Amino acid sequence: MARKINQKEKARNKSKKEVDARYDGFEEAFEQLKKDHPGLQLDYIRVETDIKITDIGFGVDVLKVKDWN
């Protein structure tokens, strides 16, 4: 179990170090959201998707929300 935690932590740290314009300001906006709504609770969901390759890229064909159990 400790090994999985370490791998998750490494992945989290790696993603924080990587520069991606899509996520500019995300952390600040998230912190502001938590400050503005102190009772906010987050729920994590597991999803499964089928991706459809198109001539201009790809799109989600089917998206299923899965139970954690």
Side-chain angles (χ1 to χ4, degrees), residues 4-56:
K4 287 184 180 181
I5 292 170
N6 290 335
Q7 288 175 346
K8 287 180 181 180
E9 189 65 31
K10 286 179 186 177
R12 200 172 307 128
N13 289 337
K14 180 181 177 188
S15 66
K16 286 182 181 179
K17 293 177 186 174
E18 290 179 357
V19 177
D20 189 333
R22 296 176 295 175
Y23 304 112
D24 284 349
F26 175 81
E27 194 166 338
E28 293 83 9
F30 183 62
E31 290 302 321
Q32 186 64 43
L33 182 67
K34 291 193 304 187
K35 181 179 175 184
D36 292 345
H37 305 279
L40 182 68
Q41 292 182 333
L42 300 176
D43 289 325
Y44 295 91
I45 62 171
R46 181 176 149 216
V47 297
E48 180 180 283
T49 185
D50 293 335
I51 296 175
K52 181 178 181 180
I53 308 271
T54 67
D55 56 344
I56 60 170

